[in-house]
Amino acid sequence: METEGRKRGRGPLERLYRLIMRRNSVYVTFVIVGAFLGERAVDYGVRKLWEKNNIGKRYEDIPVLGQRQPEE
């Protein structure tokens, strides 16, 4: 009777844990894909933060930089 209560009482995190940890290949794939997606998310966030803090100071933001003055 106690085992039935435990089966019903499983939370979503325990189900996810059992799903991922059941096989080593699934766990390794989860770690590799998670690391890749995490790196992409951090890179995107840091880039947007850097661009926001440096508006007007970047090479692309200065319109006269790299242009020659017309010779008269």
Side-chain angles (χ1 to χ4, degrees):
M1 196 162 187
E2 192 173 316
T3 56
E4 288 181 26
R6 283 187 177 174
K7 282 187 178 183
R8 285 189 218 147
R10 286 188 188 155
L13 291 178
E14 187 175 342
R15 288 186 198 141
L16 182 64
Y17 176 79
R18 286 182 177 265
L19 176 70
I20 292 171
M21 297 299 286
R22 185 170 296 188
R23 299 182 64 193
N24 191 39
S25 59
V26 174
Y27 176 70
V28 170
T29 303
F30 175 77
V31 169
I32 291 172
V33 169
F36 178 75
L37 293 176
E39 183 269 336
R40 299 288 292 188
V42 169
D43 182 49
Y44 177 79
V46 169
R47 183 174 310 206
K48 288 296 179 184
L49 182 65
W50 189 88
E51 287 177 357
K52 182 181 177 191
N53 287 331
N54 289 300
I55 292 176
K57 301 174 191 173
R58 299 178 303 155
Y59 185 81
E60 301 91 36
D61 296 337
I62 303 172
V64 296
L65 204 60
Q67 295 178 357
R68 289 187 170 204
Q69 298 294 329
E71 295 183 24
E72 295 180 31

Coordinates of all heavy atoms in Angstrom, one line a residue:
M1 N 0.8 -1.2 0.0 CA 0.0 0.0 0.0 C 0.9 1.3 0.0 O 0.5 2.2 -0.6 CB -0.9 0.0 1.2 CG -2.0 0.9 1.1 SD -3.3 0.4 2.3 CE -4.5 1.5 1.9
E2 N 2.0 1.2 0.7 CA 2.9 2.3 0.7 C 3.5 2.6 -0.6 O 3.7 3.7 -1.0 CB 4.0 2.1 1.8 CG 4.7 3.3 2.1 CD 5.7 3.1 3.3 OE1 5.3 2.5 4.2 OE2 6.8 3.5 3.1
T3 N 3.8 1.5 -1.4 CA 4.4 1.7 -2.7 C 3.4 2.4 -3.7 O 3.8 3.1 -4.5 CB 4.9 0.4 -3.3 OG1 3.8 -0.5 -3.4 CG2 6.0 -0.2 -2.5
E4 N 2.1 2.1 -3.5 CA 1.2 2.8 -4.4 C 1.1 4.3 -4.1 O 1.0 5.1 -5.0 CB -0.2 2.2 -4.2 CG -0.4 0.8 -4.8 CD -1.8 0.3 -4.5 OE1 -2.7 1.1 -4.4 OE2 -1.9 -1.0 -4.5
G5 N 1.2 4.7 -2.9 CA 1.2 6.1 -2.5 C 2.5 6.8 -3.1 O 2.4 7.9 -3.5
R6 N 3.6 6.1 -3.1 CA 4.8 6.7 -3.6 C 4.7 6.9 -5.1 O 5.1 7.9 -5.6 CB 6.0 5.8 -3.3 CG 6.5 5.9 -1.9 CD 7.7 5.2 -1.7 NE 8.2 5.3 -0.3 CZ 9.2 4.7 0.2 NH1 9.9 3.8 -0.6 NH2 9.6 4.9 1.4
K7 N 4.1 5.9 -5.8 CA 4.0 6.1 -7.2 C 3.1 7.2 -7.6 O 3.3 8.0 -8.5 CB 3.4 4.8 -7.9 CG 4.4 3.7 -8.0 CD 3.8 2.5 -8.8 CE 4.9 1.5 -8.9 NZ 4.4 0.3 -9.7
R8 N 2.0 7.4 -6.8 CA 1.1 8.5 -7.1 C 1.7 9.9 -6.7 O 1.4 10.9 -7.3 CB -0.2 8.3 -6.3 CG -1.1 7.3 -7.0 CD -2.4 7.3 -6.3 NE -2.9 5.9 -6.2 CZ -3.6 5.4 -5.2 NH1 -4.0 6.2 -4.2 NH2 -4.0 4.2 -5.2
G9 N 2.6 9.8 -5.7 CA 3.2 11.1 -5.2 C 4.4 11.6 -5.9 O 5.0 12.5 -5.5
R10 N 4.7 10.9 -7.0 CA 5.9 11.4 -7.8 C 5.6 12.8 -8.4 O 4.6 13.0 -9.0 CB 6.2 10.4 -8.9 CG 6.9 9.2 -8.4 CD 7.4 8.4 -9.6 NE 7.8 7.1 -9.1 CZ 7.8 6.0 -9.8 NH1 7.5 6.1 -11.1 NH2 8.2 4.9 -9.4
G11 N 6.6 13.6 -8.2 CA 6.4 15.0 -8.8 C 7.0 15.0 -10.2 O 7.6 14.1 -10.7
P12 N 6.8 16.1 -10.9 CA 7.3 16.2 -12.3 C 8.8 16.2 -12.4 O 9.3 15.7 -13.3 CB 6.7 17.6 -12.7 CG 6.3 18.3 -11.5 CD 6.0 17.3 -10.5
L13 N 9.5 16.7 -11.3 CA 10.9 16.7 -11.4 C 11.5 15.3 -11.3 O 12.5 14.9 -11.9 CB 11.5 17.6 -10.3 CG 11.3 19.1 -10.4 CD1 11.9 19.8 -9.3 CD2 11.9 19.5 -11.7
E14 N 10.8 14.5 -10.4 CA 11.3 13.1 -10.3 C 11.0 12.3 -11.6 O 11.8 11.5 -12.0 CB 10.5 12.4 -9.2 CG 11.1 11.0 -8.9 CD 10.5 10.3 -7.7 OE1 9.9 11.0 -6.8 OE2 10.6 9.1 -7.6
R15 N 9.9 12.6 -12.3 CA 9.6 11.9 -13.6 C 10.6 12.3 -14.6 O 11.1 11.5 -15.4 CB 8.2 12.3 -14.0 CG 7.1 11.6 -13.2 CD 5.8 11.9 -13.8 NE 4.8 11.7 -12.8 CZ 3.7 12.4 -12.7 NH1 3.5 13.5 -13.4 NH2 2.8 12.1 -11.7
L16 N 11.0 13.6 -14.6 CA 12.0 14.1 -15.6 C 13.3 13.4 -15.3 O 14.0 13.0 -16.2 CB 12.1 15.6 -15.5 CG 13.0 16.3 -16.5 CD1 12.6 16.0 -17.9 CD2 13.1 17.8 -16.2
Y17 N 13.7 13.4 -14.0 CA 14.9 12.7 -13.6 C 15.0 11.3 -14.1 O 16.0 10.8 -14.6 CB 15.1 12.8 -12.1 CG 16.3 12.1 -11.5 CD1 17.5 12.7 -11.6 CD2 16.2 10.9 -11.0 CE1 18.7 12.1 -11.1 CE2 17.3 10.2 -10.5 CZ 18.5 10.8 -10.5 OH 19.6 10.2 -10.1
R18 N 13.9 10.5 -13.8 CA 13.9 9.1 -14.3 C 13.9 9.0 -15.8 O 14.6 8.1 -16.3 CB 12.6 8.4 -13.7 CG 12.7 8.2 -12.3 CD 11.4 7.4 -11.8 NE 11.5 7.1 -10.4 CZ 11.9 6.0 -10.0 NH1 12.3 5.0 -10.8 NH2 12.0 5.7 -8.7
L19 N 13.3 9.9 -16.5 CA 13.3 9.9 -18.0 C 14.7 10.1 -18.5 O 15.2 9.4 -19.4 CB 12.4 10.9 -18.5 CG 12.4 11.1 -20.1 CD1 11.7 9.8 -20.7 CD2 11.6 12.3 -20.4
I20 N 15.4 11.1 -17.9 CA 16.8 11.4 -18.4 C 17.8 10.4 -18.0 O 18.7 10.0 -18.7 CB 17.1 12.8 -18.0 CG1 16.3 13.8 -18.7 CG2 18.6 13.2 -18.2 CD1 16.4 15.2 -18.1
M21 N 17.7 10.0 -16.7 CA 18.8 9.1 -16.1 C 18.6 7.6 -16.4 O 19.4 6.8 -16.0 CB 18.8 9.3 -14.6 CG 19.2 10.7 -14.2 SD 20.8 11.2 -14.8 CE 21.8 10.3 -13.7
R22 N 17.6 7.2 -17.1 CA 17.3 5.8 -17.4 C 18.4 5.2 -18.2 O 18.9 4.1 -17.9 CB 16.0 5.7 -18.1 CG 15.6 4.2 -18.2 CD 14.2 4.1 -18.7 NE 13.4 4.6 -17.6 CZ 12.0 4.5 -17.6 NH1 11.5 3.9 -18.6 NH2 11.3 5.0 -16.7
R23 N 18.9 5.9 -19.2 CA 20.0 5.3 -20.1 C 21.1 6.3 -20.2 O 20.9 7.6 -20.2 CB 19.4 5.1 -21.5 CG 18.3 4.1 -21.4 CD 17.8 3.8 -22.8 NE 18.9 3.1 -23.5 CZ 18.8 2.9 -24.8 NH1 17.8 3.3 -25.5 NH2 19.8 2.4 -25.5
N24 N 22.3 5.8 -20.2 CA 23.5 6.7 -20.3 C 23.5 7.5 -21.5 O 23.9 8.7 -21.5 CB 24.7 5.8 -20.1 CG 26.0 6.7 -19.9 OD1 25.9 7.6 -19.2 ND2 27.1 6.3 -20.6
S25 N 23.1 6.9 -22.7 CA 23.1 7.7 -23.9 C 22.2 8.9 -23.9 O 22.5 9.9 -24.4 CB 22.8 6.7 -25.1 OG 21.5 6.2 -24.9
V26 N 21.0 8.7 -23.2 CA 20.1 9.8 -23.1 C 20.7 10.9 -22.2 O 20.6 12.1 -22.5 CB 18.7 9.3 -22.6 CG1 17.8 10.5 -22.3 CG2 18.1 8.4 -23.5
Y27 N 21.3 10.5 -21.1 CA 21.9 11.5 -20.2 C 23.1 12.3 -20.9 O 23.1 13.5 -20.8 CB 22.5 10.7 -19.0 CG 23.2 11.6 -18.0 CD1 22.5 12.6 -17.3 CD2 24.5 11.5 -17.8 CE1 23.1 13.4 -16.4 CE2 25.2 12.4 -17.0 CZ 24.5 13.3 -16.2 OH 25.2 14.1 -15.4
V28 N 23.9 11.6 -21.6 CA 25.0 12.2 -22.3 C 24.5 13.2 -23.3 O 25.0 14.3 -23.5 CB 26.0 11.2 -22.9 CG1 27.0 11.9 -23.8 CG2 26.7 10.4 -21.8
T29 N 23.5 12.8 -24.1 CA 22.9 13.6 -25.1 C 22.3 14.9 -24.5 O 22.5 16.0 -25.0 CB 21.9 12.9 -25.9 OG1 22.5 11.7 -26.5 CG2 21.3 13.7 -27.0
F30 N 21.6 14.7 -23.4 CA 21.0 15.8 -22.6 C 22.0 16.8 -22.2 O 21.8 18.0 -22.3 CB 20.2 15.2 -21.5 CG 19.6 16.3 -20.6 CD1 18.5 17.0 -21.0 CD2 20.2 16.6 -19.4 CE1 17.9 17.9 -20.1 CE2 19.6 17.6 -18.5 CZ 18.5 18.2 -18.9
V31 N 23.1 16.3 -21.7 CA 24.2 17.2 -21.2 C 24.8 18.0 -22.3 O 25.0 19.2 -22.2 CB 25.3 16.4 -20.4 CG1 26.5 17.2 -20.1 CG2 24.7 15.9 -19.1
I32 N 25.1 17.3 -23.4 CA 25.8 18.0 -24.6 C 24.8 19.0 -25.2 O 25.2 20.1 -25.4 CB 26.2 16.9 -25.6 CG1 27.4 16.1 -25.0 CG2 26.6 17.6 -26.9 CD1 27.8 14.9 -25.9
V33 N 23.6 18.6 -25.4 CA 22.6 19.6 -26.0 C 22.4 20.7 -25.0 O 22.3 21.9 -25.4 CB 21.3 18.9 -26.4 CG1 20.2 19.8 -26.7 CG2 21.6 17.9 -27.5
G34 N 22.3 20.4 -23.7 CA 22.1 21.5 -22.7 C 23.2 22.5 -22.7 O 23.0 23.7 -22.5
A35 N 24.4 21.9 -22.8 CA 25.6 22.8 -22.7 C 25.6 23.7 -24.0 O 25.9 24.9 -23.9 CB 26.9 22.0 -22.6
F36 N 25.3 23.1 -25.1 CA 25.3 23.9 -26.4 C 24.3 25.0 -26.3 O 24.5 26.2 -26.6 CB 25.1 23.0 -27.6 CG 25.0 23.7 -28.9 CD1 26.1 24.2 -29.5 CD2 23.8 24.0 -29.5 CE1 26.1 24.9 -30.7 CE2 23.7 24.6 -30.7 CZ 24.8 25.1 -31.3
L37 N 23.0 24.7 -25.9 CA 22.0 25.7 -25.8 C 22.2 26.7 -24.7 O 22.0 27.9 -24.9 CB 20.6 25.0 -25.6 CG 20.1 24.1 -26.7 CD1 18.8 23.4 -26.3 CD2 20.0 24.9 -28.0
G38 N 22.8 26.3 -23.6 CA 23.2 27.3 -22.6 C 24.2 28.2 -23.0 O 24.1 29.4 -22.7
E39 N 25.2 27.7 -23.8 CA 26.3 28.6 -24.3 C 25.7 29.6 -25.3 O 26.1 30.8 -25.2 CB 27.3 27.8 -25.0 CG 28.5 28.5 -25.5 CD 28.4 29.0 -26.9 OE1 27.6 28.4 -27.6 OE2 29.0 30.0 -27.2
R40 N 24.8 29.2 -26.1 CA 24.2 30.1 -27.1 C 23.3 31.2 -26.4 O 23.4 32.3 -26.8 CB 23.3 29.3 -28.1 CG 24.0 28.3 -28.9 CD 24.8 28.9 -29.9 NE 24.0 29.5 -30.9 CZ 24.4 30.0 -32.0 NH1 25.7 29.9 -32.3 NH2 23.6 30.6 -32.8
A41 N 22.6 30.8 -25.3 CA 21.8 31.7 -24.6 C 22.6 32.8 -23.9 O 22.3 34.0 -23.9 CB 20.9 31.0 -23.6
V42 N 23.7 32.4 -23.2 CA 24.6 33.3 -22.5 C 25.3 34.2 -23.6 O 25.4 35.4 -23.3 CB 25.6 32.5 -21.7 CG1 26.7 33.5 -21.2 CG2 25.0 31.8 -20.5
D43 N 25.7 33.7 -24.7 CA 26.4 34.5 -25.7 C 25.4 35.6 -26.2 O 25.8 36.7 -26.4 CB 26.8 33.6 -26.8 CG 27.6 34.4 -27.9 OD1 28.5 35.2 -27.6 OD2 27.2 34.2 -29.1
Y44 N 24.2 35.2 -26.5 CA 23.2 36.1 -27.0 C 22.9 37.2 -26.0 O 22.9 38.4 -26.3 CB 21.9 35.4 -27.3 CG 20.8 36.3 -27.8 CD1 20.8 36.8 -29.1 CD2 19.8 36.7 -26.9 CE1 19.7 37.6 -29.5 CE2 18.7 37.5 -27.4 CZ 18.7 38.0 -28.7 OH 17.7 38.8 -29.1
G45 N 22.7 36.8 -24.7 CA 22.4 37.8 -23.7 C 23.6 38.8 -23.4 O 23.3 40.0 -23.3
V46 N 24.8 38.3 -23.4 CA 26.0 39.2 -23.2 C 26.1 40.1 -24.3 O 26.4 41.3 -24.2 CB 27.2 38.3 -22.9 CG1 28.5 39.2 -22.9 CG2 27.1 37.6 -21.6
R47 N 25.9 39.6 -25.5 CA 26.1 40.4 -26.7 C 25.1 41.6 -26.7 O 25.4 42.7 -27.0 CB 25.9 39.6 -28.0 CG 26.1 40.4 -29.3 CD 26.1 39.5 -30.5 NE 27.1 38.5 -30.2 CZ 27.7 37.8 -31.1 NH1 27.5 38.0 -32.3 NH2 28.5 36.8 -30.7
K48 N 23.8 41.3 -26.4 CA 22.8 42.3 -26.4 C 23.1 43.3 -25.3 O 22.9 44.5 -25.5 CB 21.4 41.7 -26.2 CG 20.9 40.9 -27.4 CD 20.7 41.9 -28.5 CE 20.2 41.2 -29.8 NZ 20.1 42.1 -30.9
L49 N 23.5 42.9 -24.1 CA 23.9 43.8 -23.1 C 25.0 44.7 -23.5 O 25.0 45.9 -23.2 CB 24.2 43.0 -21.8 CG 24.6 43.8 -20.6 CD1 23.4 44.5 -20.1 CD2 25.1 42.8 -19.5
W50 N 26.0 44.1 -24.1 CA 27.2 44.9 -24.6 C 26.8 46.0 -25.6 O 27.2 47.1 -25.5 CB 28.3 44.0 -25.1 CG 29.5 44.7 -25.4 CD1 30.6 44.9 -24.6 CD2 29.9 45.3 -26.7 NE1 31.6 45.6 -25.2 CE2 31.2 45.9 -26.5 CE3 29.3 45.4 -27.9 CZ2 31.9 46.5 -27.5 CZ3 30.0 46.1 -28.9 CH2 31.2 46.7 -28.7
E51 N 25.9 45.5 -26.6 CA 25.5 46.5 -27.6 C 24.6 47.6 -27.0 O 24.7 48.8 -27.4 CB 24.7 45.7 -28.6 CG 25.5 44.9 -29.5 CD 24.7 44.1 -30.5 OE1 23.4 44.2 -30.5 OE2 25.3 43.4 -31.4
K52 N 23.8 47.3 -26.0 CA 23.0 48.3 -25.3 C 23.8 49.3 -24.6 O 23.5 50.5 -24.6 CB 22.0 47.6 -24.4 CG 21.1 48.6 -23.7 CD 20.1 47.9 -22.7 CE 19.3 48.9 -22.0 NZ 18.5 48.3 -20.9
N53 N 24.9 48.8 -23.9 CA 25.7 49.7 -23.1 C 26.7 50.5 -24.0 O 27.3 51.5 -23.5 CB 26.5 48.9 -22.1 CG 25.6 48.5 -21.0 OD1 24.7 49.1 -20.6 ND2 26.0 47.4 -20.4
N54 N 26.9 50.2 -25.2 CA 27.9 50.8 -26.1 C 27.2 51.5 -27.3 O 27.9 51.6 -28.3 CB 28.9 49.8 -26.5 CG 29.8 49.5 -25.4 OD1 30.5 50.3 -24.8 ND2 29.8 48.2 -25.0
I55 N 26.0 51.9 -27.2 CA 25.3 52.5 -28.4 C 26.0 53.8 -28.6 O 26.3 54.6 -27.7 CB 23.8 52.7 -28.1 CG1 23.1 51.4 -28.0 CG2 23.2 53.7 -29.1 CD1 21.6 51.5 -27.7
G56 N 26.4 54.1 -29.9 CA 27.0 55.3 -30.3 C 28.5 55.3 -30.2 O 29.2 56.2 -30.7
K57 N 29.1 54.2 -29.6 CA 30.5 54.1 -29.4 C 31.1 53.1 -30.4 O 32.3 53.0 -30.5 CB 30.9 53.7 -28.0 CG 30.3 54.7 -26.9 CD 30.6 54.1 -25.6 CE 29.9 54.9 -24.5 NZ 30.0 54.2 -23.2
R58 N 30.3 52.3 -31.0 CA 30.8 51.3 -31.9 C 31.1 51.8 -33.3 O 30.7 52.9 -33.7 CB 29.7 50.2 -32.1 CG 29.4 49.5 -30.8 CD 28.3 48.5 -30.9 NE 27.1 49.1 -31.5 CZ 26.2 48.4 -32.2 NH1 26.4 47.1 -32.4 NH2 25.2 49.0 -32.7
Y59 N 32.0 51.1 -34.0 CA 32.4 51.5 -35.3 C 31.2 51.7 -36.2 O 31.1 52.6 -37.0 CB 33.3 50.5 -35.9 CG 34.0 50.8 -37.2 CD1 35.0 51.7 -37.3 CD2 33.4 50.3 -38.4 CE1 35.6 52.0 -38.5 CE2 34.0 50.7 -39.6 CZ 35.1 51.5 -39.7 OH 35.6 51.8 -40.9
E60 N 30.2 50.8 -36.2 CA 29.1 50.8 -37.0 C 28.2 52.1 -36.8 O 27.4 52.5 -37.6 CB 28.2 49.6 -36.9 CG 28.9 48.3 -37.1 CD 29.6 47.7 -35.9 OE1 29.0 47.8 -34.8 OE2 30.7 47.1 -36.1
D61 N 28.3 52.6 -35.6 CA 27.4 53.7 -35.2 C 27.9 55.1 -35.6 O 27.1 56.1 -35.6 CB 27.2 53.7 -33.7 CG 26.4 52.5 -33.2 OD1 25.7 51.9 -34.0 OD2 26.6 52.1 -32.0
I62 N 29.1 55.2 -36.0 CA 29.7 56.5 -36.4 C 29.7 56.6 -37.9 O 30.4 55.9 -38.6 CB 31.2 56.6 -35.9 CG1 31.2 56.4 -34.4 CG2 31.8 57.9 -36.2 CD1 32.5 56.3 -33.8
P63 N 28.8 57.5 -38.4 CA 28.6 57.5 -39.9 C 29.7 58.1 -40.7 O 29.9 57.7 -41.8 CB 27.3 58.5 -40.0 CG 27.3 59.3 -38.8 CD 28.0 58.4 -37.7
V64 N 30.6 59.0 -40.1 CA 31.6 59.5 -40.9 C 32.9 58.7 -40.9 O 33.9 59.0 -41.6 CB 31.9 61.0 -40.5 CG1 30.7 61.9 -40.7 CG2 32.4 61.0 -39.0
L65 N 33.0 57.7 -40.1 CA 34.2 56.9 -39.9 C 34.4 56.1 -41.2 O 33.5 55.4 -41.6 CB 34.0 56.0 -38.7 CG 35.3 55.6 -38.1 CD1 36.2 56.7 -37.6 CD2 35.1 54.6 -36.9
G66 N 35.6 56.2 -41.7 CA 35.9 55.4 -42.9 C 35.4 56.0 -44.2 O 35.6 55.4 -45.3
Q67 N 34.9 57.2 -44.2 CA 34.4 57.8 -45.4 C 35.4 59.0 -45.8 O 35.9 59.7 -44.9 CB 33.0 58.4 -45.3 CG 32.0 57.4 -45.1 CD 30.6 58.0 -44.9 OE1 30.5 59.3 -44.9 NE2 29.6 57.2 -44.7
R68 N 35.7 59.1 -47.0 CA 36.6 60.2 -47.5 C 35.8 61.5 -47.7 O 34.6 61.4 -48.1 CB 37.3 59.8 -48.8 CG 38.3 58.8 -48.6 CD 39.0 58.6 -49.9 NE 40.2 57.8 -49.7 CZ 41.2 57.8 -50.5 NH1 41.3 58.6 -51.5 NH2 42.2 57.0 -50.2
Q69 N 36.4 62.5 -47.4 CA 35.8 63.8 -47.6 C 35.9 64.1 -49.1 O 36.9 63.9 -49.7 CB 36.5 64.9 -46.8 CG 36.4 64.8 -45.3 CD 35.0 64.9 -44.8 OE1 34.2 65.6 -45.4 NE2 34.7 64.1 -43.8
P70 N 34.8 64.6 -49.7 CA 34.9 65.0 -51.1 C 35.9 66.1 -51.4 O 36.0 67.1 -50.7 CB 33.5 65.4 -51.5 CG 32.8 65.7 -50.2 CD 33.6 65.0 -49.1
E71 N 36.8 65.8 -52.4 CA 37.8 66.8 -52.7 C 37.2 67.8 -53.7 O 36.6 67.5 -54.6 CB 39.0 66.1 -53.3 CG 39.7 65.2 -52.4 CD 41.0 64.6 -53.0 OE1 41.5 65.1 -53.9 OE2 41.3 63.5 -52.5
E72 N 37.5 69.1 -53.4 CA 36.9 70.1 -54.3 C 38.0 70.7 -55.2 O 39.1 70.8 -55.0 CB 36.4 71.2 -53.4 CG 35.2 70.7 -52.6 CD 34.6 71.8 -51.7 OE1 34.6 72.9 -52.1 OE2 34.1 71.4 -50.6

